[in-house]
Amino acid sequence: MSGWQVSGTRVPTMVLALVCLGNAATCFADTAYARLARLPDWSGMWENVSWIHFTEPRQDKKPLAPNPPPLNPEYTARYNAALDAARSGNPINDPTANCVWPGMPRIIVSPYPSEFLFTPGRVTIIYEYMSQVRRIRTDGSPHPANLDPSYNGDSIGHWEGDTLLIDTVGLRDDTMYENTGLPHSDALHVVERIHLVGPGELVDEITFTDPKALTRSWTANWHFRRHREWTFLDYVCEENNRNVSVGGVTGVSK
């Protein structure tokens, strides 16, 4: 007989429907949380074990094959200028040096741990780095028609079995993929497929599409290791803000 698990007891669908007629709010809460209970276990803190550069993936600190982005000529020139400036000892200003949020997708490769929270209609990802939060709507709502660009964009998602698919748009163009200065445009579209590949390992399969900056889609697979015993520490960038921007160059205040 079909039905739902409600408070640990399997209730036939017909009986549950009759109960819902009398107490719709409680019924919705019970069934919504019952659905959450069937999702995969992603509890604990997750450590990035694939490094902090999408262009230079690693696995457990071991370098893998380089992952160069398929930039068009305009963005190739911008990226090369950033690399040349860093090599000359005058790196372009990194906004995070002044406690400006890293934004998406750079927050994914943060070296600090992250945590997933599942609630009805939403998945929330919390990062220790700068106390950042990503909110992914899983209630079936679409992206708004007119989005104001933001650091972490607008994210919607749904579950395909045990895989969470996240679709993110509406990103600011003054953030970077990573601290090498790799640029993107405001047309960047990020699709993630996140799933377990073992009891203590999570993989985020990422596809970047950017018609203004990329000549084709660009992909990266990022791995995370579970630590059930870890807890977040405070990350207050403003407490030790020593980096300053002088003429667009990151410096260190005395």
Side-chain angles (χ1 to χ4, degrees):
M1 181 181 294
S2 63
W4 293 94
Q5 290 285 344
V6 179
S7 301
T9 302
R10 189 164 189 82
V11 180
T13 302
M14 183 176 294
V15 173
L16 186 59
L18 293 174
V19 173
C20 286
L21 289 175
N23 196 339
T26 300
C27 176
F28 171 78
D30 282 346
T31 56
Y33 279 98
R35 288 194 290 271
L36 289 178
R38 294 195 293 272
L39 294 177
D41 175 16
W42 290 5
S43 59
M45 301 291 173
W46 294 93
E47 174 195 9
N48 171 12
V49 294
S50 291
W51 195 225
I52 60 173
H53 296 156
F54 289 115
T55 54
E56 300 174 348
R58 300 184 183 184
Q59 187 66 32
D60 291 328
K61 301 181 180 180
K62 298 178 181 178
L64 302 176
N67 186 31
L71 297 171
N72 63 28
E74 176 189 350
Y75 278 77
T76 295
R78 289 175 55 178
Y79 187 37
N80 286 339
L83 295 175
D84 290 343
R87 283 191 287 263
S88 70
N90 296 296
I92 64 170
N93 186 55
D94 182 344
T96 66
N98 293 302
C99 302
V100 176
W101 293 352
M104 268 286 289
R106 184 174 173 182
I107 191 63
I108 296 174
V109 296
S110 161
Y112 296 86
S114 57
E115 179 183 32
F116 293 84
L117 302 179
F118 298 162
T119 51
R122 175 172 291 184
V123 172
T124 305
I125 309 176
I126 304 174
Y127 299 87
E128 182 177 283
Y129 184 41
M130 294 195 182
S131 302
Q132 286 294 282
V133 177
R134 292 177 61 196
R135 298 175 179 87
I136 298 95
R137 299 188 306 282
T138 57
D139 58 0
S141 61
H143 293 299
N146 297 305
L147 274 173
D148 289 327
S150 60
Y151 285 98
N152 291 327
D154 184 77
S155 295
I156 56 176
H158 65 272
W159 289 92
E160 296 181 353
D162 288 342
T163 297
L164 176 63
L165 191 147
I166 305 174
D167 186 289
T168 301
V169 296
L171 295 163
R172 295 171 59 120
D173 63 359
D174 57 352
T175 64
M176 312 171 181
Y177 280 99
E178 56 188 41
N179 65 6
T180 61
L182 177 58
H184 63 79
S185 81
D186 59 358
L188 178 61
H189 179 192
V190 184
V191 174
E192 301 168 78
R193 298 181 64 87
I194 308 176
H195 58 92
L196 290 168
V197 290
E201 185 174 358
L202 199 68
V203 65
D204 189 350
E205 301 172 354
I206 313 162
T207 300
F208 306 107
T209 305
D210 189 339
K212 294 182 181 179
L214 300 175
T215 59
R216 56 178 172 78
S217 295
W218 185 38
T219 60
N221 291 340
W222 239 244
H223 292 253
F224 300 84
R225 179 173 298 128
R226 191 199 316 256
H227 296 274
R228 293 188 184 276
E229 75 284 3
W230 282 12
T231 57
F232 281 148
L233 299 177
D234 285 344
Y235 189 109
V236 183
C237 179
E238 293 82 358
E239 283 189 336
N240 192 30
N241 182 17
R242 297 179 181 275
N243 293 317
V244 296
S245 174
V246 180
V249 175
T250 297
V252 179
S253 61
K254 303 297 185 181

